[in-house]
Amino acid sequence: MAQLIVDIKKLKHNIQFLVQYCNKLGLKITGILKGPGLDATIIHEMMSNGIDNVGFSNLPMENNYDEIFHKKPVFISLPSIYEISNIIKYFGTSFHSEISVIERINEELITQNRSHNIVLMVDTGDLREGVLPENVVDIVKKIHEIKNFKLNFSGIGSNMGCCAGMLPNEDNLNILNELAVQIEMKLGLEVKTVSIGGSVMLEWLEKNRLPDKINQIRLGEAIFLGNIPTINKKHIDLHDDVLIFKSDVLETNEKKVDSLKICGKDAFGCTPKFAYTGMRKRAIMNFGISDTYPEGLQPLIDGLDIVCVNSNYTIIDFTNSHEQLKPGDFVEFKMNYMSMLQGFISPFTKIVYKQPADSING
Ligand SMILES: *Cc1c(COP(=O)(O)O)cnc(C)c1O
């Protein structure tokens, strides 16, 4: 019985704190829902607490969007050329780095008679998506020379701390700012959006002044995990337990762990490592890789160690804990980013919302 518990009160706190903080700096927030996806409860919390819009990195498969969205969301991954028709149908804005794809978007807009905003991604050093800074003005010009131009050029964006682990600094943020200025001066175009992300930005913002043109921040991890990725630091004003993974014990036993006798591979073809040997108290938990990313879980009780992970089981060594686990006991865990992603995506993990009223009764 794997459950992912979403504490709505804590989620609200994180959202409200970040909205107030970012708005003061002139930044609107795009809330990134890589894990929760089309979770109507979470989207509602975001949109009703001041998040400007929500962004997705996958194309949702359902069709009942109108009930969920009051405003068309943002597609933050580079769109596949095979998915353009749905991109412009479901999303109001998408992020780009290839002019051939932008041309296809424009053609499709004409066919479907729709409007759509594009943001051109600039690689300011993280070596993931984006055109090179020196080509930006030229590419923006080429975009506007597309025949029967129907799309709206909304602006530019860049991403940090995702691939090369590049941290924000004055130089890479100034590159983006300066490009916005140049597009306006050289091409006479308005740059409405200058977007940065993700949560790694929050640390930099504490101590530095943001260039004027940057007006949008894309945040995911900080909202859900209260964590600043890349430097992996807890944000002091945010809850890190908005999301709790919870599951039950199936078997407990004392087992002799003898690393010399065990010489094959585990269920995933990896060589087992034994942190402890000898007689150990072990609990088999009712979840595995098919439910979340178990290695990214952190038990709320001290002295529990995750020692083995299978498709459907996770084994906890509780020899060092005061807790005496038995079948039916629940164990709760904080989640890291991968656990969150896999937990939300898994069809076996039940998403449970802990509403503020629930906590009054314990
Ligand atoms: C995932 C992602 C984000 C959000 O990053 P977090 O670290 O989760 O805040 C922002 N922008 C883009 C393009 C992303 O892919």
Side-chain angles (χ1 to χ4, degrees):
M1 204 163 65
Q3 297 175 48
L4 199 172
I5 299 162
V6 184
D7 188 321
I8 298 294
K9 195 173 161 198
K10 289 180 177 169
L11 176 66
K12 234 189 248 285
H13 166 89
N14 283 7
I15 293 170
Q16 287 171 350
F17 175 85
L18 288 168
V19 164
Q20 217 177 36
Y21 179 82
C22 292
N23 286 0
K24 220 179 263 174
L25 299 171
L27 294 169
K28 287 186 171 175
I29 301 180
T30 301
I32 305 301
L33 291 148
K34 281 183 187 147
L38 278 174
D39 185 306
T41 308
I42 291 176
I43 292 170
H44 170 77
E45 286 305 325
M46 284 189 165
M47 298 304 286
S48 62
N49 284 290
I51 298 247
D52 181 53
N53 205 349
V54 288
F56 298 88
S57 54
N58 289 82
L59 202 56
M61 297 295 176
E62 290 158 46
N63 281 308
N64 57 340
Y65 303 115
D66 293 344
E67 292 164 25
I68 300 178
F69 301 117
H70 299 293
K71 186 172 181 179
K72 278 195 167 185
V74 182
F75 192 70
I76 59 152
S77 288
L78 300 175
S80 151
I81 204 145
Y82 304 109
E83 296 175 337
I84 282 172
S85 164
N86 282 338
I87 295 285
I88 66 163
K89 199 158 136 201
Y90 301 132
F91 297 93
T93 303
S94 53
F95 287 7
H96 294 270
S97 64
E98 288 287 348
I99 195 146
S100 60
V101 179
I102 296 172
E103 282 168 348
R104 283 282 303 112
I105 293 257
N106 195 64
E107 282 168 29
E108 193 63 30
L109 287 176
I110 294 168
T111 310
Q112 291 191 24
N113 193 26
R114 287 179 193 271
S115 60
H116 187 81
N117 304 309
I118 58 162
V119 170
L120 184 69
M121 291 303 275
V122 182
D123 180 4
T124 53
D126 196 41
L127 308 180
R128 206 176 72 170
E129 76 273 40
V131 301
L132 298 178
E134 57 266 38
N135 300 331
V136 167
V137 174
D138 194 41
I139 290 173
V140 173
K141 183 161 175 280
K142 286 209 174 89
I143 291 170
H144 286 82
E145 288 165 358
I146 292 174
K147 258 199 304 187
N148 303 320
F149 189 68
K150 188 156 168 55
L151 39 83
N152 306 314
F153 172 76
S154 174
I156 55 179
S158 82
N159 204 52
M160 314 258 172
C162 267
C163 180
M166 191 197 61
L167 296 171
N169 58 47
E170 218 174 284
D171 292 341
N172 52 37
L173 291 168
N174 276 335
I175 289 175
L176 201 66
N177 195 68
E178 188 51 36
L179 285 169
V181 172
Q182 278 186 32
I183 292 166
E184 294 193 335
M185 282 190 359
K186 291 192 182 163
L187 304 177
L189 296 165
E190 190 193 355
V191 180
K192 281 176 256 156
T193 305
V194 181
S195 180
I196 50 168
S199 300
V200 67
M201 280 301 306
L202 291 171
E203 171 84 356
W204 190 85
L205 291 172
E206 281 294 312
K207 300 181 198 105
N208 299 277
R209 202 179 150 269
L210 201 61
D212 295 342
K213 290 265 170 204
I214 298 178
N215 59 8
Q216 182 184 84
I217 185 165
R218 307 179 308 272
L219 299 176
E221 179 156 350
I223 296 173
F224 295 109
L225 301 176
N227 188 49
I228 303 172
T230 312
I231 56 170
N232 202 26
K233 180 175 158 188
K234 186 190 164 341
H235 191 295
I236 51 164
D237 298 302
L238 300 175
H239 292 296
D240 64 351
D241 54 356
V242 170
L243 305 178
I244 292 290
F245 190 82
K246 177 174 174 180
S247 191
D248 55 317
V249 175
L250 299 171
E251 176 199 295
T252 53
N253 235 318
E254 269 197 79
K255 299 203 178 174
K256 186 157 190 237
V257 184
D258 183 349
S259 58
L260 295 176
K261 272 198 189 147
I262 309 166
C263 51
K265 307 281 189 195
D266 69 12
F268 299 114
C270 302
T271 303
K273 289 190 208 80
F274 296 98
Y276 309 105
T277 52
M279 291 309 290
R280 305 296 302 181
K281 288 185 196 162
R282 288 159 72 107
I284 300 184
M285 299 299 302
N286 191 10
F287 69 92
I289 286 195
S290 40
D291 309 273
T292 183
Y293 176 76
E295 270 127 335
L297 297 176
Q298 186 197 332
L300 293 189
I301 307 167
D302 283 341
L304 302 190
D305 290 293
I306 293 175
V307 290
C308 178
V309 170
N310 288 176
S311 310
N312 51 328
Y313 293 145
T314 294
I315 299 177
I316 287 180
D317 185 311
F318 64 101
T319 319
N320 297 340
S321 170
H322 298 300
E323 206 77 15
Q324 290 311 314
L325 296 177
K326 60 179 187 309
D329 283 351
F330 285 100
V331 180
E332 297 187 323
F333 308 83
K334 285 187 195 173
M335 310 182 82
N336 79 356
Y337 196 78
M338 283 196 278
S339 309
M340 165 181 90
L341 267 187
Q342 298 300 330
F344 273 114
I345 291 166
S346 168
F348 309 116
T349 297
K350 183 162 187 245
I351 312 296
V352 179
Y353 305 96
K354 184 174 161 196
Q355 296 293 344
D358 298 348
S359 50
I360 294 168
N361 306 318

